[in-house]
Amino acid sequence: MSQRIYVAGPRDPNIHTHTIIFLHGRDSECEEFASEFFESEASTPAGQPRTLLDRLPYVRWVFPSAPLLPSARFGASMSQWFDMWSVENPEEQTELQEEGLQMSAGAIRDVIRQEEELVPRHNIFLGGISQGFATALATFFSDGRELAGLIGLCSWMPLCGVANGLITSKHEESVLFNALQDVYLGQPPVNRVDPEVVKSTPVFLGHAIDDEVVPIRNGKQMRDILHDLNLMVEFHEYQDGGHWINEPDGVDGIVDFVTKICTN
């Protein structure tokens, strides 16, 4: 899948130590999303620039653009990582989702490999908003290799019914993670996942109570599934912010999360 990618930062190329690959939501595109994303500001320092670019000057931000895919519900092609019937109820008509989700996860695995030419894999974060983070999670579970961390906003667990079913089946851990890999990969794997690597990857999740696009119950369900898989999850619930990054607390949270990992 050919893919357009927009890159921002680091402020000084000589201090580039980490990369954050961040996936936009449905019906968006990389450059427009990045421009709006970087308008959000942290709470400090007062009187100075405090966007994510400013607060994380050593980070290279990579924004892939989703492909144009036919939408079964709307009868036209649109920018989306995979087709789906409803973001409010993502388990509706899940048969629409699998092919595009697996294709996009493969494309993002390629983006990660490209970034590994610049920084070690353990210095690469993977994140996204809404359908973008659902795709990021599918990418992570399909690959199962080391990353610095995951950053998700206003999202849900992709194919959560399948994931829940695997968890409640009480499989041995290795069998469970291999089964999840098969679901999101869609083809025989080259390498099997390492459950210890997956479980040791820190996860930041943010979701606003007043999100009218993806209800916060979807985000809490994702949090619970990741907890059941024994991942290290921080879940941040905000009173407002809608279907977007909360400002300034949500920006502060991402800065703190990334800084803590990058300085350890």
Side-chain angles (χ1 to χ4, degrees):
M1 180 174 75
S2 62
Q3 193 166 46
R4 189 161 60 88
I5 294 175
Y6 176 75
V7 175
R11 286 298 191 198
D12 180 352
N14 294 320
I15 61 171
H16 174 213
T17 60
H18 291 74
T19 290
I20 298 177
I21 302 168
F22 207 88
L23 280 58
H24 63 74
R26 195 183 196 196
D27 201 23
S28 183
E29 61 86 33
C30 57
E31 191 166 358
E32 176 187 8
F33 172 79
S35 175
E36 295 174 356
F37 189 62
F38 289 136
E39 290 177 1
S40 301
E41 292 188 324
S43 59
T44 58
Q48 298 182 41
R50 51 186 185 270
T51 68
L52 286 165
L53 280 171
D54 300 308
R55 293 300 311 277
L56 301 171
Y58 48 84
V59 169
R60 168 180 158 98
W61 292 83
V62 176
F63 298 92
S65 219
L68 290 174
L69 297 176
S71 167
R73 182 169 186 174
F74 300 110
S77 292
M78 62 188 300
S79 172
Q80 54 180 351
W81 298 103
F82 54 93
D83 194 24
M84 61 187 306
W85 194 258
S86 169
V87 295
E88 298 87 358
N89 299 295
E91 284 301 284
E92 217 176 320
Q93 299 194 35
T94 55
E95 67 277 4
L96 297 174
Q97 301 177 29
E98 292 186 15
E99 182 179 358
L101 184 61
Q102 293 162 356
M103 176 185 68
S104 288
I108 302 306
R109 290 194 300 274
D110 289 341
V111 175
I112 295 172
R113 283 191 284 269
Q114 292 167 18
E115 288 303 306
E116 284 187 88
E117 298 177 5
L118 302 176
V119 294
R121 188 183 179 92
H122 62 260
N123 285 5
I124 299 174
F125 293 82
L126 181 59
I129 186 169
S130 195
Q131 195 190 66
F133 185 65
T135 304
L137 265 186
T139 303
F140 176 63
F141 283 114
S142 69
D143 199 36
R145 292 189 291 156
E146 184 178 21
L147 289 172
L150 303 176
I151 304 169
L153 304 175
C154 316
S155 194
W156 66 90
M157 184 76 185
L159 305 178
C160 61
V162 176
N164 258 330
L166 290 171
I167 291 168
T168 56
S169 296
K170 304 296 183 182
H171 292 296
E172 290 184 4
E173 190 174 73
S174 60
V175 175
L176 170 59
F177 281 102
N178 287 344
L180 279 173
Q181 182 184 31
D182 292 341
V183 168
Y184 297 121
L185 191 61
Q187 60 188 13
V190 175
N191 297 298
R192 277 302 184 186
V193 301
D194 182 341
E196 295 306 316
V197 168
V198 174
K199 293 189 300 179
S200 66
T201 303
V203 183
F204 175 98
L205 300 177
H207 213 130
I209 293 173
D210 65 348
D211 188 337
E212 296 182 351
V213 178
V214 177
I216 194 171
R217 68 173 182 272
N218 295 3
K220 290 181 175 180
Q221 181 187 46
M222 171 174 58
R223 172 202 62 193
D224 293 344
I225 291 173
L226 296 180
H227 276 155
D228 288 342
L229 293 168
N230 294 314
L231 270 71
M232 303 186 301
V233 181
E234 295 181 19
F235 186 80
H236 299 261
E237 182 176 312
Y238 308 107
Q239 290 296 317
D240 53 42
H243 191 62
W244 193 241
I245 183 172
N246 172 274
E247 188 179 8
D249 292 345
V251 184
D252 288 345
I254 292 175
V255 170
D256 291 345
F257 177 77
V258 172
T259 301
K260 178 174 62 178
I261 293 170
C262 292
T263 55
N264 282 344

